[in-house]
Amino acid sequence: MLGGKDTVVYRGRAVAGWLWWGTWAALLAVALVPPVLEGDFLSIGDFLIQVFAYGVAWGVPIWVMLLTLWSMEFYGRLTLTRSTLRVGRDRMPLSELDPVGARAVDREQPAMGARLRTSAGDVHVPYSGPTRPRGATFRYLGGSYGTPWGMDAVSLPTRDGGAVRFYVRNRGAFLAALDGVLPSS
């Protein structure tokens, strides 16, 4: 640790940048195109009022999408340091992970079709699940109720016999970074 801070080894965003920009562009198009096509505004103030009105009225589905993207980013952002795994607002010391089991996790990124099939049936309530031997539990980190479509769920075994699960965009890069910080046994 340098300067009292834990070194960040890996950062993973839950939402692709192109999706953010595309959604904002869609909102801008919904707000701007109708007033421009109608062309019946008298002043720049009138034009801005129409843009605002169209953006609010017809942009409701896009506002919902933006809120969903923000939520996915807030609760699904992944940060791996030399001592901690943080998914959203959940923090877990790496000492709780089983290093041998974590290294045995499949490194291959599944194809998009496999990720879509997996995420469609992968629903759990955070911090709950079937009880495993010795009282260990299977839980989702980050507040997610499942894996968003197109994302890849990673399950890592814990030392107490349970497992933690969260979603990532790049399985191979995350697991390679995790290998570098886990103890040898």
Side-chain angles (χ1 to χ4, degrees):
M1 296 205 282
L2 295 172
K5 293 189 177 185
D6 209 359
T7 307
V8 174
V9 176
Y10 179 83
R11 263 184 229 268
R13 293 194 58 177
V15 179
W18 66 267
L19 191 55
W20 277 109
W21 287 108
T23 307
W24 280 109
L27 181 61
L28 191 61
V30 163
L32 281 175
V33 169
V36 168
L37 291 179
E38 287 175 6
D40 62 351
F41 47 89
L42 301 173
S43 67
I44 192 70
D46 188 35
F47 174 72
L48 291 176
I49 289 171
Q50 287 184 24
V51 166
F52 178 77
Y54 276 107
V56 170
W58 295 104
V60 169
I62 300 169
W63 287 112
V64 170
M65 178 69 171
L66 285 168
L67 184 60
T68 302
L69 293 176
W70 174 84
S71 177
M72 285 176 60
E73 188 68 32
F74 182 78
Y75 292 108
R77 182 170 287 193
L78 182 68
T79 305
L80 178 67
T81 66
R82 298 206 175 278
S83 63
T84 307
L85 170 65
R86 191 176 98 197
V87 182
R89 59 186 170 185
D90 293 330
R91 293 174 191 257
M92 178 180 172
L94 291 180
S95 60
E96 291 182 19
L97 291 177
D98 176 20
V100 174
R103 287 192 172 95
V105 173
D106 187 16
R107 300 289 193 257
E108 286 295 314
Q109 180 85 6
M112 182 58 80
R115 289 189 307 225
L116 289 173
R117 283 190 301 279
T118 300
S119 61
D122 186 24
V123 178
H124 299 279
V125 176
Y127 294 110
S128 71
T131 302
R132 301 265 171 121
R134 295 176 291 188
T137 58
F138 176 83
R139 65 181 182 153
Y140 256 97
L141 295 178
S144 173
Y145 289 98
T147 306
W149 280 34
M151 299 290 281
D152 187 22
V154 172
S155 294
L156 297 175
T158 57
R159 291 184 187 266
D160 64 1
V164 293
R165 191 168 173 96
F166 49 92
Y167 57 87
V168 297
R169 290 175 42 97
N170 188 341
R171 170 188 282 262
F174 168 73
L175 292 174
L178 183 64
D179 280 347
V181 295
L182 284 176
S184 59
S185 60

